Amino acid sequence: MLNSIIEMFHSIIGAITGENDRKKIRGTVVLMKKNVLDFTDFRSSIIDRVYELVGKGVSLQLVSAVHDDPTNGLRGKVGKPAYLKGWITTITPSTATAGEESAFKVTFDHDAEIGQPGAFIIRNNHRSEFYLRTLTLADVPGHGRIHFVCNSWVYPAYKYDTDRVFFTNQAHLPSETPGPLRGYRESELVNLRGDGTGELKEWDRVYDYAYYNDLGNPDRHGKYARPVLGGSVEYPYPRRGRTGRPPSETDPNTESRLPLLMSLNIYVPRDERFGHIKMSDFLAYALKALVQFLLPEFEALCDSTPNEFDSFQDVFDLYEGFKVPDGPLLDKIKDNVPLEMLKELVRTDGEGFFKFPTPQVIKEDKSAWRTDKEFAREMLAGLNPVVIRRLKEFPQESKLDPEVYGNQNSSITKEHIENHLDGLTINKALEKKRLFILDHHDTLMPYLRRINTTSTKTYASRTVLFLKDDGTLKPLAIELSLPHPDGDKFGAVSKVYTPAEHGVEGSIWQLAKAYAAVNDSGYHQLLSHWLNTHAVIEPFVIATNRQLSVLHPINKLLDPHFRDTMNINALARQILINAGGVVESTVYPSKYAMEMSSVVYKNWVFTEQALPADLINRGMAEKDSDAPHGLRLVLDDYPYAVDGLEIWSAIETWVEDYCSFYYKTDEMVEKDSELQSWWKELREEGHGDKKDEPWWPKMHTVKELIDTCTIIIWVASALHAAVNFGQYPYAGFLPNRPTISRRFMPEEGTPEYEELKSNPEKAFLKTITAQLQTLLGISLIEILSRHSSDEVYLGQRDTPEWTLDATPLKAFEKFGRKLADIEENIIKRNGDERFKNRVGPVKMPYTLLYPTSEGGLTGKGIPNSVSI
């Protein structure tokens, strides 16, 4: 009824003014109202209705792609405003789920002076924002259907200094942009860059850079002060998104922090926030709840008498159901976390009966994780398969400066291993490429003295392995090293452990493997995962939005691979990697964690992030023009590398097909002003501490562009998937991947040694992560290992009409078919008993690089982006 009255009202006005007699262009706007998401937005809804009654709620104006306006700086001629119809009557019911969209009609006057529209201006005169999905013009005279993909939040017009402009989904290089659209294209980029000043608000659309100066909280206490990462020789780091918050009161170089309860409000450009159509806001709240209500109690209890696991059965009870003892922890949880949140967050019925999903690593066999074969297999097919390297010299030499650190070379000798090389000498084994090493010594040793002043008590480790005839690896020796008590310059104090199965020697060997796993867990979380995917990709997100127009074909290529990255990184800075956050509390480097990742970033090389280059660099592959992908693996049954090279090759082919369509010559790359500005800013600002490195591609050729985009997509999609989504399947059972060690190896003649002899399980569990840290840690990685229900995977797009160009669309379809073939190949390889590293003793197929997945905790699937 109300809609009919409004239509009649508008018709009467149209008859009086003569508007009804003109040719019309009919369009459909798809959007999501804010009040779908915010049921308390009542006042704004009332004001919106007043605007709608006079027909002035949301206006759209078409912009010509062919005719310019001399009175407007030769920009495209702008048509008369048209208004959305039916805003009041298109009301989403109170039962709507977040993300429900509505379609609205809009009718434009046809103006011959507009001709072909290439953009439109939209003004939101309501009091609340909406999410604009698309505008489709049904039948533009002479041009037919024209589609605009928008995917952006539009705030009330009074929030903006300039109009919101959206372009058709036709890609244009800067030099090929229709003249009437160039001014709009350039102005939009200027708006996205901002002016570098002030605190940014949620409606700001500004992408800008800042150092990691927001991890510490010196205003809370001196012990929460942390160094600024980025902008110095001592602590280089990739840049993060700027928020503009004022400095802390205590330290002008440290940015003030948001209160924990405001974590979800940390600034990222609105279009980079998690979409409401997925569960990410819930996941973010779960993270916040985890920290807010579990961590303080955990800290208090750990300071007094930490709860211990007495046996492996106590750990298995986490997945079979266990009762948390009555006390302050349970009271805190029940008082502060809503029941429905508890059910998702910590699998409880509200009465303290916790139950976590059973991790895959113990689902089929509860003890196989302890075998040497599985310990070694996970270096090739676990959640950190990117560190193992071929041993090229024996003993392994350290790269640490001997002037500072003395002799840090390996103390593993011929006598330790030569009797276990299946009859080969060490030199012969090296020659036949059958010796491998998991080496965390040089990374940890500079920090080890400081790390061991905390509650952590750990070593720097080296693990040497031998390739057997059946293609599996067996560990030969583990070296555990400490700094010399008299000072660093005296070198390392090391002890070497060799495999044993029985008695106290067997228990000591299990502990040696646990210390090596602790090293690897910390390296994985801080470096393989956080630094080498999350942190290094964020500058690409920022630079792309600042320098490459949405019309630019490279923006269209890369944009899906940046979804949600700035948001998850901002949340990580707020509650995970910050001083006193979850990572410092659950991973052994403790308060030195992020500082240590900065030191490792000194050795980061962009071009070595390419999978083939990485494998060659680690000695795991050699160039071979006759081999698939131009590489021959040294170890044929290396699941991460085998699957990864297929994915890499598919990405590379897709990128080559795409880029070659738009860039016919190297000269076109060199003369692309936006592309050159993007690459210059990425090097000099985004990764500014690396700007003088000689290895950066020059961006002078089509091949350099293809190689660069392939690396970006690989890191954001497949590499991140390989090191993220296996966290719960492998490390959800913490004895398999302990993150902390709390005491040193027991020495003969001590009570700890006697306990190891009499009760090896209890001694093992008292050495690794404590019960409450385990609860906190596996709660976190369960959340981080889940796919959202609306995840977009590699080879998929969230809209089929992401470009108008037919050739790239066909190339993308070919890419999707290739990925489907790769899925079949992975299934076949996992079922082939010749490949013993693909399933292993734990009977857990390697699926982390299987491209697609359903939502949830699946241990497979490659999302397009670093989105969790």
Side-chain angles (χ1 to χ4, degrees), residues 788-802:
S788 63
S789 58
D790 74 327
E791 191 63 81
V792 184
Y793 296 94
L794 194 63
Q796 301 175 357
R797 293 267 175 156
D798 59 3
T799 174
E801 296 184 76
W802 57 273

Side-chain angles (χ1 to χ4, degrees), residues 47-243:
I47 296 172
D48 290 352
R49 293 181 180 217
V50 174
Y51 276 95
E52 287 295 333
L53 283 171
V54 294
K56 303 293 183 183
V58 178
S59 71
L60 297 90
Q61 294 171 276
L62 298 179
V63 177
S64 176
V66 290
H67 299 299
D68 56 43
D69 183 352
T71 66
N72 188 25
L74 297 180
R75 294 185 177 207
K77 187 174 177 60
V78 179
K80 290 184 177 180
Y83 296 90
L84 287 193
K85 299 175 182 177
W87 186 275
I88 298 174
T89 52
T90 310
I91 298 175
T92 306
S94 60
T95 56
T97 57
E100 193 161 324
E101 296 170 348
S102 304
F104 297 85
K105 299 301 181 185
V106 61
T107 304
F108 300 89
D109 288 333
H110 172 60
D111 184 343
E113 292 188 16
I114 296 292
Q116 181 180 358
F120 72 92
I121 294 169
I122 188 166
R123 289 189 183 89
N124 174 10
N125 296 312
H126 293 152
R127 304 296 294 181
S128 60
E129 66 271 24
F130 56 79
Y131 186 75
L132 180 62
R133 177 71 73 187
T134 59
L135 165 64
T136 306
L137 305 179
D139 191 11
V140 178
H143 302 285
R145 179 180 179 275
I146 295 180
H147 188 63
F148 299 80
V149 176
C150 307
N151 289 338
S152 182
W153 284 93
V154 178
Y155 275 75
Y158 71 88
K159 298 281 192 185
Y160 296 128
D161 294 329
T162 57
D163 289 328
R164 292 299 310 275
V165 178
F166 293 92
F167 301 92
T168 64
N169 55 341
Q170 175 64 60
H172 294 289
L173 295 176
S175 61
E176 298 172 353
T177 307
L181 297 181
R182 286 181 184 173
Y184 292 104
R185 176 176 183 150
E186 291 163 4
S187 294
E188 179 70 356
L189 286 174
V190 170
N191 293 336
L192 291 171
R193 291 176 200 139
D195 62 7
T197 64
E199 183 170 357
L200 296 168
K201 305 299 182 186
E202 66 171 276
W203 53 84
D204 286 318
R205 303 170 55 237
V206 171
Y207 294 78
D208 204 355
Y209 303 99
Y211 301 138
Y212 277 72
N213 65 344
D214 62 342
L215 302 180
N217 191 359
D219 289 350
R220 180 181 174 191
H221 191 279
K223 71 178 182 178
Y224 295 107
R226 296 292 181 271
V228 174
L229 304 184
S232 67
V233 174
E234 186 178 10
Y235 298 122
Y237 221 62
R239 304 298 185 256
R240 63 170 175 92
R242 186 177 78 85
T243 68

Side-chain angles (χ1 to χ4, degrees), residues 523-536:
Y523 191 99
H524 162 260
Q525 199 62 271
L526 297 171
L527 306 173
S528 303
H529 183 204
W530 167 258
L531 175 65
N532 288 340
T533 63
H534 284 260
V536 301

